[in-house]
Every structure is written in C-alpha cells, then in structure tokens.
Amino acid sequence: MKDSSSVAQLAAILRKELDRYSEGEKLPSSRALVTRHQVSPVTVSRAIASLAAEGLVTSRPGAGVFKAAPRRAASALGDVSWQEVALSADPPYATADTGPRSADASGLLATLTAPPPEVIDLNGGYLHAALQPERALAAALARAGRRPGTWSRPPVEGLTELREWFARDIGGPRGPLGASDVLITAGGQSALTTALRALAAPGSAVLVESPTYPGTLAVARAAGLRPVPVPVDADGVRTDLLTEAFHATRARVFVCQPLFHNPTGAVLSPQRRTAVLDIARAAGAFVVEDDFARRLMHADSPPLPAPLAADDLDGVVVHVRSLTKASSPSLRIGALTGRGPALERLRAIQAVDSFFVPRPLQETALELVGSPAWTRHLRTLADALRDRRTTLLAALGSTLPGLLPHRPPHGGYHLWLRLPDGTDERAVAATALRHGVAVTPGGPYFPAEATAPHLRLTYVSTPGTAQLEEGVRRLRQAVEESVPEPYERA
C-alpha cells in the first residue's frame, strides 16, 4: 500500500483482518501498521478511529488497540403508544388559535436528504464540493486555530469584528447599520427561527410569500404561528394583496425574499420595494428580509438592488444574511439585524436557544471574508452559476421546451417549472427518482393549496454541467410517463 492510500482503504483492510482476532486480542502497534501498509501515522490513526466509531475496536491509552466485544442485539422496542396522547393533548389554557404543536419539516428535509450516488441531484440547495472554496476554507480554519483566544467564550452577540463586517456588507459603509445592530447566528435558518419566535406571539398570523421557502413555513408552524399566504408574481410579492392581508389578519410580521426569491427566482421591483416598507410601517409591522441569495448572483446579472434594510431607518426591517449558501453547508454563520426593543427581544431569544455561536467558527468566517481568496471565490462562483443556469436552460429548451420559465433568473441556484394542469407533481418527482434524477415537487412551497403543479430544479448540487444535461434527459423520461399530455420535442 502506498502513502497515497486513503483512510477508507486501510480501514477496510483492518476490518477484514479483525476476523482473525478473538475478542479482547491486541492488534499490531501503530508503528507496525505503518511499516506493514506503507502509510503515514496519521492515516493509521484515522483508520483506527473509524473502526472505534463502528464499535469494532477499543483503544486504551498506553496499552494499545484491542478487538471489541460483539455488539449486543438491539432490544425490542417497548410500547410507545402513550406518546400519542402526551404529544397531542393540550393544556387547559390552550386556545384554538395556538395551532398544532407538531412541526412539519417534510418540505425542508426533502432538500436536505442526499440521494444515492447513482442519482443526479437536481434537488439540493447547497454547493457541490466542486463549487466550494475548500482551499480558502481550510486556510481560514488553520489561521483561526492559531489566533489567541480562539477557544475562549465569545460575546453572546458575536465577535465585534464579524458583526462590523456584516453591518457593512448589509447596509454599506455609510449605511444605517452598525455592529451594535447585528447578532451573529448559526446560519440563516437559525436566524429565521429567532426572528419569528421573537416578533410574533403563538397563535398569531404571520404573512409569507406564496410560494415560499418551506423552511420558513416549518419555523412558523413550529412556533405556533399561522402562515398566511400573499401571492408572488414575476415582480415579487403582490403589494396590493399585502395591504389586504395586513388588514384581514392584523399580522405584525411579514417574511419575504426580495432578491432571487426561492422558489420563483423573482426580484422585487423598485416600486414594490418602497410599497412593502410603507405598507408594513402603516400596519405597525416588521418585515423579515431573508437575503439568502445575495452572494449567489450570476456573472451576467445586472447590478443588484440594495437590501431593504439599507433603506430602513426606523427598525421596520429585520434582516437575515448568511455565508452558508455561498461557501459550505458546514460554515453555519449568519447575521440577524434589528433596532430598538426588537433587537433586545431577538438577543434574548437567541441566548435562550443557543447561548452563542462557537467562537472557532466565527473566527474562521472572519478569516475567510477578510482574505483575497473570498473575493476570487465569489467571482469564480458567479461564472459557474451563470454557466450552469445556461446549460440547464439549454437542456430544457431542447428536451422539454414546454417547461421553460418565462423569465430566467440572474441569481440564485434554481428554476421554477410550471407543469400542465392536472399533473401529479409528486408522481413526476417519484418517477424521476426511479429514472435516476432527484427533483423537488412544488406543493411544499405553498402555505395553503397550491395554485398549480410545479417542479423546482437546482443546479448547484452536481459535480458539473454534464450531469445537468443528463439529469434533464432522465427527467424527460419521467415527464413522458407522468404528464397527461406529453410535451413535443422542439
């Protein structure tokens, strides 16, 4: 075995050799394994750790590594039917308005579940490893590890330098935000959870775009809130209907994605940007701005509008921003902004839920965004997103022209496809999976009944553009089997 052999290869060899050992028998020393298999001590250490995690060996410091006792068979599950009562019975003071105590995360989990390796992933919402700045992340992590105090407790609100960076990134160098207006969160989902729990009382209505990100709906319902849909068109949320929704529900929170909306890709028009703030201000309500796609612009994108928070002086906008989408799913660092009493409420809820975000992760994020590699990565990512979007649109145009969106997005990572009336979108998605491509049905994106059948296709979870083209070819097969009136080839 050469030095380049993987940890997995060595672990597989040792796992097979364990058959020759009796329970409690000592394995060869690390030095002997290094010599025998011609690998580094680090490779041996990691392979042993892998076997220990599987319960196959036990390591005793100073004594060596020994074959572990066989695992005992799992005991039979007891009677858990009592939990149906415990989880469903409401206390005497509960009201009909408080909503269910359960959380429906099916729409959210669908995009978090990785398909088998043989399936082309047009479903996931995170960058494939080929698009991640792995070298920049590794270097940032190494530099952060050398910083004095990296493992000490950070401020509850987050590191001051990182909060200052987010304040400039969101509001501009001369904008209304300062470090004191920013809380560091464990990613965008955590920020949304904190915002909705802090700003809306259980049982109350919260206005959401329709369709919208399923994670928003899951957070709202888990907090005992009632998501009320406000339709979206090609120019963003319908502000005429937003006014009516505030009057009808007396809601005090509206959650929106003004930039590269998930799932439609819409960008809120300039006229509606002003209207959203005016309507919310008149209703005495907050606007939770989920700016998840700010760093996912394409190379051919026109200049981006500023966040709503950059034009807000009165604390109407609570802004959510994250580094996760543009870097790595494991760099769970985000920011939540607020002003006045709302910020104190946000701070209190976050402290109760999580105390603080681990300092090593904050230090790593600070090292990353402060390095030239971050700017280079964003330029490279913008080119890659444009090329992938172009490839996916071209593949759809030649194979499924009837599914092409009318206004392709210039940012984000997904396409929203309208299926013919009467199509069972879940059947299409299930059939597509049998053909080896994972896509997302549109139903979970609607707070109430869906207006039409849809599919959402993403283009960041595959290794390259060749998989996108093959994925559309497989989707064509599924559509031909599932759609009432199959599309004609262009």
Side-chain angles (χ1 to χ4, degrees):
M1 183 180 293
K2 303 299 184 182
D3 287 340
S4 60
S5 298
S6 68
V7 173
Q9 287 177 305
L10 179 58
I13 292 173
L14 297 178
R15 193 180 294 111
K16 187 174 181 180
E17 290 180 351
L18 280 175
D19 293 338
R20 303 201 305 262
Y21 291 82
S22 58
E23 179 184 335
E25 186 176 351
K26 185 177 179 179
L27 274 65
S29 68
S30 295
R31 181 177 298 179
L33 292 175
V34 166
T35 302
R36 178 189 302 175
H37 298 287
Q38 293 295 292
V39 294
S40 70
V42 172
T43 299
V44 170
S45 175
R46 290 180 177 174
I48 293 296
S50 176
L51 296 181
E54 297 174 29
L56 299 177
V57 300
T58 58
S59 181
R60 302 173 194 168
V65 178
F66 302 83
K67 181 176 180 178
R71 290 184 177 181
R72 295 179 180 178
S75 59
L77 184 64
D79 182 5
V80 297
S81 57
W82 64 272
Q83 294 184 4
E84 295 186 53
V85 177
L87 294 174
S88 303
D90 291 320
Y93 52 80
T95 68
D97 294 334
T98 56
R101 296 163 60 199
S102 62
D104 180 7
S106 56
L108 186 62
L109 292 173
T111 61
L112 291 175
T113 302
E118 67 274 10
V119 173
I120 295 175
D121 188 1
L122 302 185
N123 171 66
Y126 291 112
L127 299 183
H128 187 273
L131 295 174
Q132 295 175 25
E134 290 189 335
R135 289 187 179 181
L137 285 165
L141 181 62
R143 292 194 301 271
R146 294 192 295 268
R147 283 191 172 201
T150 290
W151 289 96
S152 62
R153 188 181 71 184
V156 171
E157 301 84 358
L159 297 179
T160 301
E161 301 94 326
L162 189 57
R163 294 163 68 201
E164 288 174 343
W165 182 86
F166 270 114
R168 293 191 300 271
D169 193 51
I170 296 167
R174 298 183 180 179
L177 297 173
S180 60
D181 303 314
V182 178
L183 299 174
I184 300 302
T185 68
Q189 188 70 15
S190 175
L192 283 173
T193 300
T194 297
L196 291 187
R197 289 189 59 213
L199 303 176
S204 64
V206 56
L207 304 186
V208 298
E209 295 165 314
S210 181
T212 193
Y213 166 52
T216 298
L217 301 177
V219 166
R221 288 167 177 152
L225 306 176
R226 295 184 292 111
V228 176
V230 184
V232 169
D233 63 19
D235 292 317
V237 65
R238 290 271 306 275
T239 47
D240 56 331
L241 297 178
L242 180 63
T243 301
E244 293 183 12
F246 271 122
H247 285 317
T249 63
R250 300 185 182 275
R252 290 294 178 262
V253 177
F254 168 52
V255 185
C256 65
Q257 295 178 332
L259 185 65
F260 307 135
H261 171 259
N262 183 11
T264 68
V267 176
L268 191 63
S269 68
Q271 297 80 7
R272 293 188 185 180
R273 285 171 56 87
T274 302
V276 165
L277 293 180
D278 290 344
I279 292 168
R281 191 177 289 111
F286 293 97
V287 175
V288 176
E289 180 184 20
D290 182 6
D291 201 17
F292 78 104
R294 176 69 49 173
R295 297 303 177 197
L296 298 177
M297 63 182 294
H298 300 173
D300 57 358
S301 173
L304 301 185
L308 297 179
D311 301 323
D312 172 46
L313 299 176
D314 304 322
V316 172
V317 179
V318 171
H319 186 92
V320 174
R321 175 76 60 88
S322 172
L323 296 176
T324 306
K325 289 293 187 185
S327 59
S328 163
S330 289
L331 188 66
R332 303 211 63 77
I333 290 289
L336 183 62
T337 74
R339 304 181 116 191
L343 179 63
E344 293 307 309
R345 184 78 65 83
L346 294 167
R347 180 178 181 272
I349 292 293
Q350 174 165 292
V352 168
D353 284 349
S354 58
F355 288 0
F356 47 77
V357 177
R359 183 163 185 157
L361 206 56
Q362 294 192 54
E363 296 280 9
T364 299
L366 193 57
E367 287 285 352
L368 177 67
V369 299
S371 70
W374 177 242
T375 304
R376 291 196 298 271
H377 163 65
L378 292 179
R379 287 199 299 265
T380 301
L381 180 60
D383 289 337
L385 292 175
R386 175 202 58 204
D387 294 345
R388 286 168 176 249
R389 180 210 66 208
T390 301
T391 298
L392 189 57
L393 287 171
L396 286 169
S398 62
T399 308
L400 290 166
L403 294 183
L404 277 172
H406 296 296
R407 189 186 296 184
H410 288 278
Y413 56 88
H414 53 268
L415 299 179
W416 185 237
L417 310 183
R418 170 71 153 81
L419 295 170
D421 290 338
T423 301
D424 184 342
E425 60 184 29
R426 292 186 179 276
V428 174
T431 304
L433 191 60
R434 289 198 299 273
H435 283 286
V437 58
V439 298
T440 313
Y445 290 80
F446 288 89
E449 294 81 3
T451 56
H454 291 83
L455 292 179
R456 193 190 76 148
L457 272 59
T458 65
Y459 43 86
V460 293
S461 296
T462 62
T465 54
Q467 290 80 11
L468 297 177
E469 294 173 329
E470 175 61 19
V472 172
R473 188 191 68 78
R474 297 180 185 184
L475 178 61
R476 164 77 190 207
Q477 295 177 288
V479 169
E480 288 179 335
E481 294 179 20
S482 307
V483 173
E485 298 178 3
Y487 292 105
E488 296 296 331
R489 295 185 183 272

